[in-house]
Each structure stands twice: as structure tokens, then as C-alpha cells.
Amino acid sequence: MSGRADSDTPAAISPAPMSSTGGTEVAHGARGAREAPEDHGWAEGGCPEGVSVARRARWTAAGTGVLLTLAGLAASLLRLTDAAPARVPAAYAAGAVVCACAAALGQRGRTRRALWLLVAGVMMMALGDQPG
């Protein structure tokens, strides 16, 4: 045992080897306590790179779900005042409910499921307005 950390362990968290006098010494080639932002997946903001990407995905899924929910409800109210069959406003309202569920899932981090629910909600709105 040479007292060196494993090569997989980042230098900032590896234990420093003890010298014979009882103090700590910095290993040759080791960096200081602060590493460069590009090392180990850390972004410049001081948080892991994946965290900001995940947060952006959650906000995108939730925002898109809310936007499509409002659009579906507005279309449902507009079609309710027209002479359209009753299934058309119901399809828009049902699609809006599905998009609202997708927004809730997206906010909780289930962005892949939220995407599929957004697609299903928009398809419900589009197919419910078809003649026939």
C-alpha cells in the first residue's frame, strides 16, 4: 500500500497520504481542492452536468403539458359553442386532461412517460375532430 488513492477516485475526495512528520502532503501532480469545471461532469454553475439537463427536461415537459392543456380546453370551449357534435368538445377536453396528467408527470421527473402522454393527448384532440 503506497498511500495513493485509486485512479478512479477523483483527487478532490481522495485521502491525502500522511507524511512521516504527521502532517499531510499533496501527492505529486495532484490538483488543489478545486477542480476544473470540465472534470468529472461538473458544469460551470457548480452542479453536476446531468442535473441541469434533467431540470430543463422537467420544465420543458411541464410547460408543454400546461400549454397543450390550455389549448385543448380553449378548443373545447370554442367547439362547445358551435354546432359540432358532442363528441368533438369531449375529445378536446379528454385530450386536455391527458396533457394535464403529462404535465404533472413531467414536473415529477417522468419526462419519457410525459412525452408519450403528450403525444396521446394531442392525438385524441386531433382524431376527435375528424368528420365521420
Side-chain angles (χ1 to χ4, degrees):
M1 300 199 73
S2 65
R4 289 186 162 209
D6 293 330
S7 62
D8 294 336
T9 307
I13 61 171
S14 63
M18 298 292 289
S19 68
S20 59
T21 61
T24 59
E25 59 187 42
V26 177
H28 179 68
R31 297 181 185 188
R34 185 178 177 112
E35 292 189 11
E38 64 269 8
D39 289 343
H40 307 293
W42 289 85
E44 289 187 23
C47 59
E49 194 173 298
V51 172
S52 62
V53 172
R55 185 176 296 136
R56 192 176 326 135
R58 284 194 303 266
W59 278 103
T60 302
T64 305
V66 167
L67 183 70
L68 288 174
T69 299
L70 292 175
L73 289 176
S76 177
L77 289 175
L78 287 174
R79 292 297 185 163
L80 192 60
T81 60
D82 285 347
R87 68 175 175 85
V88 175
Y92 277 112
V97 168
V98 171
C99 288
C101 293
L105 280 177
Q107 189 62 34
R108 288 188 168 88
R110 304 288 185 190
T111 55
R112 204 172 286 161
R113 291 181 182 141
L115 173 68
W116 285 110
L117 279 179
L118 288 173
V119 169
V122 170
M123 283 180 62
M124 287 175 68
M125 291 183 218
L127 293 176
D129 200 12
Q130 296 297 317

